PDB file of all heavy atoms in Angstrom:
ATOM      1  N   ALA A  51      22.579  57.544 231.570  1.00 96.00           N
ATOM      2  CA  ALA A  51      22.113  56.958 230.310  1.00 96.00           C
ATOM      3  C   ALA A  51      21.543  55.578 230.616  1.00 96.00           C
ATOM      4  O   ALA A  51      22.029  54.894 231.515  1.00 96.00           O
ATOM      5  CB  ALA A  51      23.277  56.856 229.321  1.00 96.00           C
ATOM      6  N   TYR A  52      20.519  55.195 229.845  1.00 95.00           N
ATOM      7  CA  TYR A  52      19.815  53.953 230.143  1.00 95.00           C
ATOM      8  C   TYR A  52      19.915  52.940 229.036  1.00 95.00           C
ATOM      9  O   TYR A  52      19.961  53.280 227.858  1.00 95.00           O
ATOM     10  CB  TYR A  52      18.313  54.231 230.326  1.00 95.00           C
ATOM     11  CG  TYR A  52      17.985  55.167 231.434  1.00 95.00           C
ATOM     12  CD1 TYR A  52      17.717  56.503 231.171  1.00 95.00           C
ATOM     13  CD2 TYR A  52      17.944  54.718 232.738  1.00 95.00           C
ATOM     14  CE1 TYR A  52      17.402  57.375 232.191  1.00 95.00           C
ATOM     15  CE2 TYR A  52      17.634  55.583 233.776  1.00 95.00           C
ATOM     16  CZ  TYR A  52      17.359  56.907 233.491  1.00 95.00           C
ATOM     17  OH  TYR A  52      17.058  57.768 234.499  1.00 95.00           O
ATOM     18  N   LYS A 146      15.742  70.984 230.164  1.00 96.00           N
ATOM     19  CA  LYS A 146      15.696  71.382 228.764  1.00 96.00           C
ATOM     20  C   LYS A 146      14.295  71.736 228.307  1.00 96.00           C
ATOM     21  O   LYS A 146      14.104  72.209 227.198  1.00 96.00           O
ATOM     22  CB  LYS A 146      16.286  70.257 227.903  1.00 96.00           C
ATOM     23  CG  LYS A 146      17.769  70.009 228.197  1.00 96.00           C
ATOM     24  CD  LYS A 146      18.382  68.954 227.285  1.00 96.00           C
ATOM     25  CE  LYS A 146      18.035  67.547 227.708  1.00 96.00           C
ATOM     26  NZ  LYS A 146      18.566  67.174 229.023  1.00 96.00           N
ATOM     27  N   ARG A 224      27.106  58.198 228.304  1.00 95.00           N
ATOM     28  CA  ARG A 224      26.758  57.481 227.066  1.00 95.00           C
ATOM     29  C   ARG A 224      27.900  56.592 226.602  1.00 95.00           C
ATOM     30  O   ARG A 224      27.694  55.451 226.193  1.00 95.00           O
ATOM     31  CB  ARG A 224      26.434  58.477 225.961  1.00 95.00           C
ATOM     32  CG  ARG A 224      25.158  59.217 226.200  1.00 95.00           C
ATOM     33  CD  ARG A 224      24.694  59.805 224.890  1.00 95.00           C
ATOM     34  NE  ARG A 224      23.840  60.954 225.107  1.00 95.00           N
ATOM     35  CZ  ARG A 224      22.859  61.272 224.277  1.00 95.00           C
ATOM     36  NH1 ARG A 224      22.653  60.545 223.200  1.00 95.00           N
ATOM     37  NH2 ARG A 224      22.123  62.331 224.524  1.00 95.00           N
ATOM     38  N   PRO A 255      29.627  65.195 209.157  1.00 43.00           N
ATOM     39  CA  PRO A 255      28.903  66.149 209.980  1.00 43.00           C
ATOM     40  C   PRO A 255      27.698  65.461 210.603  1.00 43.00           C
ATOM     41  O   PRO A 255      27.249  64.438 210.112  1.00 43.00           O
ATOM     42  CB  PRO A 255      28.472  67.221 208.979  1.00 43.00           C
ATOM     43  CG  PRO A 255      28.575  66.574 207.627  1.00 43.00           C
ATOM     44  CD  PRO A 255      29.634  65.531 207.749  1.00 43.00           C
ATOM     45  N   ARG A 264      22.910  71.271 218.523  1.00 47.00           N
ATOM     46  CA  ARG A 264      21.882  71.937 217.736  1.00 47.00           C
ATOM     47  C   ARG A 264      20.682  71.027 217.508  1.00 47.00           C
ATOM     48  O   ARG A 264      19.542  71.467 217.512  1.00 47.00           O
ATOM     49  CB  ARG A 264      22.452  72.403 216.395  1.00 47.00           C
ATOM     50  CG  ARG A 264      23.110  73.776 216.492  1.00 47.00           C
ATOM     51  CD  ARG A 264      23.587  74.291 215.152  1.00 47.00           C
ATOM     52  NE  ARG A 264      24.869  73.746 214.766  1.00 47.00           N
ATOM     53  CZ  ARG A 264      25.013  72.768 213.871  1.00 47.00           C
ATOM     54  NH1 ARG A 264      23.962  72.226 213.303  1.00 47.00           N
ATOM     55  NH2 ARG A 264      26.208  72.336 213.561  1.00 47.00           N
TER      56      ARG A 264
ATOM     57  P    DA C   1      18.217  63.108 227.029  1.00 67.97           P
ATOM     58  OP1  DA C   1      19.286  62.611 226.242  1.00 67.97           O
ATOM     59  OP2  DA C   1      18.146  64.245 227.860  1.00 67.97           O
ATOM     60  O5'  DA C   1      17.398  61.907 227.683  1.00 67.97           O
ATOM     61  C5'  DA C   1      17.812  61.380 228.913  1.00 67.97           C
ATOM     62  C4'  DA C   1      17.601  59.885 228.929  1.00 67.97           C
ATOM     63  O4'  DA C   1      16.197  59.634 229.105  1.00 67.97           O
ATOM     64  C3'  DA C   1      18.015  59.217 227.626  1.00 67.97           C
ATOM     65  O3'  DA C   1      18.865  58.090 227.822  1.00 67.97           O
ATOM     66  C2'  DA C   1      16.745  58.777 226.974  1.00 67.97           C
ATOM     67  C1'  DA C   1      15.687  58.869 228.045  1.00 67.97           C
ATOM     68  N9   DA C   1      14.555  59.582 227.472  1.00 67.97           N
ATOM     69  C8   DA C   1      14.353  60.928 227.421  1.00 67.97           C
ATOM     70  N7   DA C   1      13.255  61.265 226.793  1.00 67.97           N
ATOM     71  C5   DA C   1      12.700  60.050 226.395  1.00 67.97           C
ATOM     72  C6   DA C   1      11.556  59.708 225.690  1.00 67.97           C
ATOM     73  N6   DA C   1      10.702  60.626 225.227  1.00 67.97           N
ATOM     74  N1   DA C   1      11.316  58.403 225.477  1.00 67.97           N
ATOM     75  C2   DA C   1      12.186  57.499 225.942  1.00 67.97           C
ATOM     76  N3   DA C   1      13.301  57.696 226.619  1.00 67.97           N
ATOM     77  C4   DA C   1      13.507  58.994 226.816  1.00 67.97           C
ATOM     78  P    DT C   2      19.842  57.738 226.563  1.00 67.97           P
ATOM     79  OP1  DT C   2      20.880  56.828 227.082  1.00 67.97           O
ATOM     80  OP2  DT C   2      20.193  59.005 225.900  1.00 67.97           O
ATOM     81  O5'  DT C   2      18.926  56.910 225.555  1.00 67.97           O
ATOM     82  C5'  DT C   2      18.122  55.836 226.029  1.00 67.97           C
ATOM     83  C4'  DT C   2      17.463  55.176 224.837  1.00 67.97           C
ATOM     84  O4'  DT C   2      16.185  55.803 224.600  1.00 67.97           O
ATOM     85  C3'  DT C   2      18.272  55.346 223.542  1.00 67.97           C
ATOM     86  O3'  DT C   2      18.277  54.124 222.817  1.00 67.97           O
ATOM     87  C2'  DT C   2      17.517  56.426 222.777  1.00 67.97           C
ATOM     88  C1'  DT C   2      16.097  56.229 223.254  1.00 67.97           C
ATOM     89  N1   DT C   2      15.284  57.473 223.240  1.00 67.97           N
ATOM     90  C2   DT C   2      13.970  57.405 222.800  1.00 67.97           C
ATOM     91  O2   DT C   2      13.454  56.373 222.411  1.00 67.97           O
ATOM     92  N3   DT C   2      13.319  58.599 222.813  1.00 67.97           N
ATOM     93  C4   DT C   2      13.802  59.830 223.214  1.00 67.97           C
ATOM     94  O4   DT C   2      13.102  60.823 223.173  1.00 67.97           O
ATOM     95  C5   DT C   2      15.181  59.826 223.676  1.00 67.97           C
ATOM     96  C7   DT C   2      15.803  61.109 224.152  1.00 67.97           C
ATOM     97  C6   DT C   2      15.839  58.667 223.673  1.00 67.97           C
ATOM     98  P    DT C   4      17.674  52.438 215.729  1.00 67.97           P
ATOM     99  OP1  DT C   4      17.168  51.195 215.129  1.00 67.97           O
ATOM    100  OP2  DT C   4      19.036  52.488 216.290  1.00 67.97           O
ATOM    101  O5'  DT C   4      17.486  53.619 214.686  1.00 67.97           O
ATOM    102  C5'  DT C   4      16.173  53.870 214.181  1.00 67.97           C
ATOM    103  C4'  DT C   4      16.112  55.140 213.357  1.00 67.97           C
ATOM    104  O4'  DT C   4      15.840  56.272 214.228  1.00 67.97           O
ATOM    105  C3'  DT C   4      17.413  55.480 212.611  1.00 67.97           C
ATOM    106  O3'  DT C   4      17.124  55.689 211.238  1.00 67.97           O
ATOM    107  C2'  DT C   4      17.887  56.789 213.227  1.00 67.97           C
ATOM    108  C1'  DT C   4      16.611  57.374 213.783  1.00 67.97           C
ATOM    109  N1   DT C   4      16.835  58.276 214.945  1.00 67.97           N
ATOM    110  C2   DT C   4      15.778  59.078 215.336  1.00 67.97           C
ATOM    111  O2   DT C   4      14.700  59.083 214.790  1.00 67.97           O
ATOM    112  N3   DT C   4      16.052  59.902 216.401  1.00 67.97           N
ATOM    113  C4   DT C   4      17.252  59.998 217.083  1.00 67.97           C
ATOM    114  O4   DT C   4      17.374  60.795 218.019  1.00 67.97           O
ATOM    115  C5   DT C   4      18.303  59.114 216.634  1.00 67.97           C
ATOM    116  C7   DT C   4      19.618  59.120 217.315  1.00 67.97           C
ATOM    117  C6   DT C   4      18.037  58.319 215.599  1.00 67.97           C
ATOM    118  P    DT C   7      20.318  65.005 202.268  1.00 67.97           P
ATOM    119  OP1  DT C   7      19.554  65.313 201.042  1.00 67.97           O
ATOM    120  OP2  DT C   7      21.654  64.350 202.189  1.00 67.97           O
ATOM    121  O5'  DT C   7      20.473  66.349 203.129  1.00 67.97           O
ATOM    122  C5'  DT C   7      19.370  66.804 203.897  1.00 67.97           C
ATOM    123  C4'  DT C   7      19.763  68.091 204.625  1.00 67.97           C
ATOM    124  O4'  DT C   7      20.176  67.763 205.977  1.00 67.97           O
ATOM    125  C3'  DT C   7      20.934  68.834 203.988  1.00 67.97           C
ATOM    126  O3'  DT C   7      20.675  70.236 203.990  1.00 67.97           O
ATOM    127  C2'  DT C   7      22.105  68.512 204.893  1.00 67.97           C
ATOM    128  C1'  DT C   7      21.427  68.347 206.236  1.00 67.97           C
ATOM    129  N1   DT C   7      22.118  67.454 207.199  1.00 67.97           N
ATOM    130  C2   DT C   7      22.145  67.815 208.522  1.00 67.97           C
ATOM    131  O2   DT C   7      21.639  68.840 208.947  1.00 67.97           O
ATOM    132  N3   DT C   7      22.812  66.928 209.337  1.00 67.97           N
ATOM    133  C4   DT C   7      23.417  65.746 208.959  1.00 67.97           C
ATOM    134  O4   DT C   7      23.974  65.038 209.782  1.00 67.97           O
ATOM    135  C5   DT C   7      23.340  65.434 207.547  1.00 67.97           C
ATOM    136  C7   DT C   7      23.963  64.189 207.036  1.00 67.97           C
ATOM    137  C6   DT C   7      22.698  66.293 206.742  1.00 67.97           C
ATOM    138  P    DC C   8      21.649  71.161 203.084  1.00 67.97           P
ATOM    139  OP1  DC C   8      20.812  71.943 202.170  1.00 67.97           O
ATOM    140  OP2  DC C   8      22.781  70.359 202.568  1.00 67.97           O
ATOM    141  O5'  DC C   8      22.199  72.144 204.227  1.00 67.97           O
ATOM    142  C5'  DC C   8      21.304  72.620 205.228  1.00 67.97           C
ATOM    143  C4'  DC C   8      22.088  73.361 206.290  1.00 67.97           C
ATOM    144  O4'  DC C   8      22.553  72.430 207.288  1.00 67.97           O
ATOM    145  C3'  DC C   8      23.326  74.092 205.762  1.00 67.97           C
ATOM    146  O3'  DC C   8      23.384  75.394 206.310  1.00 67.97           O
ATOM    147  C2'  DC C   8      24.485  73.225 206.228  1.00 67.97           C
ATOM    148  C1'  DC C   8      23.930  72.617 207.503  1.00 67.97           C
ATOM    149  N1   DC C   8      24.505  71.291 207.861  1.00 67.97           N
ATOM    150  C2   DC C   8      24.835  71.040 209.185  1.00 67.97           C
ATOM    151  O2   DC C   8      24.648  71.910 210.030  1.00 67.97           O
ATOM    152  N3   DC C   8      25.347  69.829 209.500  1.00 67.97           N
ATOM    153  C4   DC C   8      25.527  68.896 208.559  1.00 67.97           C
ATOM    154  N4   DC C   8      26.030  67.731 208.923  1.00 67.97           N
ATOM    155  C5   DC C   8      25.193  69.135 207.200  1.00 67.97           C
ATOM    156  C6   DC C   8      24.687  70.336 206.900  1.00 67.97           C
ATOM    157  P    DG C   9      24.496  76.387 205.746  1.00 67.97           P
ATOM    158  OP1  DG C   9      23.881  77.730 205.706  1.00 67.97           O
ATOM    159  OP2  DG C   9      25.132  75.816 204.527  1.00 67.97           O
ATOM    160  O5'  DG C   9      25.566  76.368 206.924  1.00 67.97           O
ATOM    161  C5'  DG C   9      25.175  76.755 208.245  1.00 67.97           C
ATOM    162  C4'  DG C   9      26.376  76.698 209.164  1.00 67.97           C
ATOM    163  O4'  DG C   9      26.664  75.317 209.479  1.00 67.97           O
ATOM    164  C3'  DG C   9      27.660  77.265 208.541  1.00 67.97           C
ATOM    165  O3'  DG C   9      28.390  77.972 209.531  1.00 67.97           O
ATOM    166  C2'  DG C   9      28.421  76.019 208.112  1.00 67.97           C
ATOM    167  C1'  DG C   9      28.022  75.032 209.194  1.00 67.97           C
ATOM    168  N9   DG C   9      28.125  73.648 208.809  1.00 67.97           N
ATOM    169  C8   DG C   9      27.799  73.098 207.595  1.00 67.97           C
ATOM    170  N7   DG C   9      28.001  71.807 207.552  1.00 67.97           N
ATOM    171  C5   DG C   9      28.490  71.488 208.817  1.00 67.97           C
ATOM    172  C6   DG C   9      28.887  70.250 209.360  1.00 67.97           C
ATOM    173  O6   DG C   9      28.888  69.151 208.816  1.00 67.97           O
ATOM    174  N1   DG C   9      29.312  70.383 210.669  1.00 67.97           N
ATOM    175  C2   DG C   9      29.351  71.556 211.367  1.00 67.97           C
ATOM    176  N2   DG C   9      29.792  71.492 212.613  1.00 67.97           N
ATOM    177  N3   DG C   9      28.980  72.730 210.870  1.00 67.97           N
ATOM    178  C4   DG C   9      28.564  72.621 209.600  1.00 67.97           C
TER     179       DG C   9
END
Side-chain angles (χ1 to χ4, degrees):
Chain A
Y52 299 99
K146 296 184 281 296
R224 291 199 204 211
R264 274 184 278 102

